[in-house]
């Protein structure tokens, strides 16, 4: 009889124990972030408002999220930097599913160039997204202004183009120019390579991330010039793409001509154009 009572007591206690375990379960799962806007490679003009849209999710309860923006000039700036833009702000929130919408003013004086845009989220238990597991969201955006050098690609008849025609094994014929309407240029870097798949574009003004192992990459000193023609700049250069270069591309990848420009004030701009081979 005593043994029967002990078993009955154990059966009564066990659900209570499991119930306590459920109630005391520790939340160890960090939130997730889905960013809709801005997208990687997006251009935002200085003096305008950048819209931020996205979604935060957590299995228990959200607490805060933060947005930070800082320049990604990588020490390549040779000129006098005007005003590198930076931004850092945290926002309180709650719930398991939250839509983000923030408006960020970009100063009219912001230096043109690439910037890192980063979002981090923390839940009520203190679990945070991080760079270590790629749960933070980071994209590269480009701030533009009227003072930066502008890249234009043309054909031999000075008609603007959005795709460059090339012949395998022959030197590329590159026409167009870089123009600084308010100041002077300092450096122009010209390369041929491929861009990160998510950043590729065909409008001649894409600003995606250039992947490594460029087929051609050279920097030219053009200090004091207000306008530079590609034909003159590359008069002593021969940029050739061979079949072996094309064979190394993965499905869906394309080669691009990438022109990175820095003016005397430290503004950085870039234009890209896809190279099409028959």
């Amino acid at each position: 009889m005593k043994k029967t009572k002990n078993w009955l007591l154990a059966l009564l206690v066990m659900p209570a124990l499991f119930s306590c375990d459920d109630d005391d379960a520790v939340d160890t799962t960090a939130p997730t972030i889905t960013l809709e806007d801005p997208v990687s490679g997006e251009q935002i003009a200085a003096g305008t408002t950048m819209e931020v849209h996205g979604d935060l999710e957590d299995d228990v309860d959200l607490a805060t999220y933060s947005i930070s923006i800082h320049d990604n000039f990588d020490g390549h700036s040779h000129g006098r930097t005007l005003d590198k833009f930076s931004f850092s702000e945290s926002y309180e929130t709650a719930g398991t599913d939250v839509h983000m919408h923030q408006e960020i003013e970009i100063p009219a004086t912001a230096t043109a160039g690439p910037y890192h845009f980063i979002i981090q989220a923390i839940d009520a238990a203190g679990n945070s997204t991080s760079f270590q597991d790629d749960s933070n969201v980071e994209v590269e955006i480009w701030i533009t202004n009227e003072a930066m050098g502008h890249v234009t690609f043309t054909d031999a008849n000075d008609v603007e183009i959005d795709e460059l025609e090339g012949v395998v094994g022959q030197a590329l014929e590159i026409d167009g120019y870089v123009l600084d309407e308010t100041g002077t240029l300092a450096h122009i870097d010209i390369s041929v390579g491929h861009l990160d798949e998510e950043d590729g574009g065909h409008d001649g003004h894409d600003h995606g991330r250039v992947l490594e192992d460029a087929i051609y990459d050279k920097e030219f000193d053009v200090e004091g010039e207000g306008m530079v023609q590609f034909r003159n700049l590359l008069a002593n250069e021969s940029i050739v793409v061979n079949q072996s270069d094309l064979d190394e591309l993965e499905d869906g990848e394309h080669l691009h001509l990438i022109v990175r420009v820095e003016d005397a004030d430290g503004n950085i701009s870039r234009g890209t154009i896809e190279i099409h081979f028959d």
Side-chain angles (χ1 to χ4, degrees):
M1 184 69 178
K2 185 175 182 180
K3 290 184 178 180
T4 303
K5 288 182 178 180
N6 289 341
W7 277 106
L8 289 173
L9 179 62
L11 290 173
L12 292 171
V13 171
M14 284 177 64
L17 291 175
F18 283 114
S19 177
C20 290
D21 287 342
D22 290 340
D23 292 341
D24 297 336
V26 178
D27 178 10
T28 60
T29 304
T32 59
I33 305 169
T34 302
L35 180 64
E36 299 172 2
D37 198 33
V39 297
S40 184
E42 184 169 341
Q43 299 180 56
I44 300 103
T48 65
T49 301
M50 178 174 64
E51 297 277 348
V52 179
H53 289 277
D55 294 298
L56 304 175
E57 293 184 15
D58 189 71
D59 59 335
V60 180
D61 192 20
L62 294 159
T64 64
Y65 66 95
S66 62
I67 298 175
S68 63
I69 305 171
H70 61 267
D71 73 271
N72 186 31
F73 291 4
D74 294 331
H76 292 138
S77 179
H78 302 280
R80 176 179 60 83
T81 301
L82 297 175
D83 184 12
K84 289 183 180 180
F85 172 62
S86 64
F87 177 88
S88 181
E89 191 69 53
S90 294
Y91 308 91
E92 293 185 358
T93 188
T96 59
D97 190 349
V98 173
H99 181 74
M100 296 181 293
H101 177 210
Q102 299 295 338
E103 296 182 346
I104 299 174
E105 300 294 329
I106 308 298
T109 56
T111 302
Y115 288 77
H116 281 154
F117 177 94
I118 302 167
I119 296 183
Q120 182 179 30
I122 302 175
D123 68 14
N127 300 302
S128 175
T129 58
S130 70
F131 289 109
Q132 284 72 24
D133 60 5
D134 293 326
S135 54
N136 279 354
V137 169
E138 178 178 354
V139 297
E140 184 178 78
I141 60 174
W142 281 70
I143 292 179
T144 64
N145 61 34
E146 292 300 320
M148 70 183 194
H150 295 270
V151 179
T152 301
F153 299 103
T154 70
D155 61 17
N157 297 315
D158 292 330
V159 177
E160 191 167 350
I161 57 175
D162 56 13
E163 187 176 83
L164 179 64
E165 298 293 333
V167 178
V168 176
Q170 297 184 21
L172 293 173
E173 296 184 1
I174 301 172
D175 290 287
Y177 55 89
V178 179
L179 174 64
D180 192 324
E181 296 181 332
T182 63
T184 59
L185 303 167
H187 298 270
I188 297 177
D189 182 89
I190 296 180
S191 60
V192 172
H194 63 289
L195 299 172
D196 193 325
E197 187 70 18
E198 67 177 0
D199 297 329
H202 308 282
D203 61 358
H205 299 284
D206 171 71
H207 299 289
R209 181 173 63 89
V210 182
L211 299 183
E212 297 178 356
D213 302 324
I215 295 171
Y216 175 88
D217 190 355
K218 185 172 181 178
E219 184 179 279
F220 298 87
D221 186 350
V222 293
E223 189 172 352
E225 298 289 339
M227 179 177 181
V228 175
Q229 296 279 352
F230 293 139
R231 282 280 183 176
N232 297 333
L233 194 65
L234 299 171
N236 297 320
E237 300 292 318
S238 181
I239 305 175
V240 178
V241 176
N242 296 308
Q243 186 60 48
S244 58
D245 299 316
L246 299 179
D247 291 341
E248 292 183 5
L249 297 176
E250 297 181 2
D251 290 342
E253 288 183 339
H254 302 279
L255 288 181
H256 287 75
L257 172 68
I258 305 110
V259 178
R260 179 186 174 102
V261 180
E262 183 185 348
D263 69 12
D265 291 318
N267 293 300
I268 297 174
S269 56
R270 192 171 72 178
T272 75
I273 187 169
E274 183 180 318
I275 308 173
H276 178 262
F277 296 92
D278 291 328

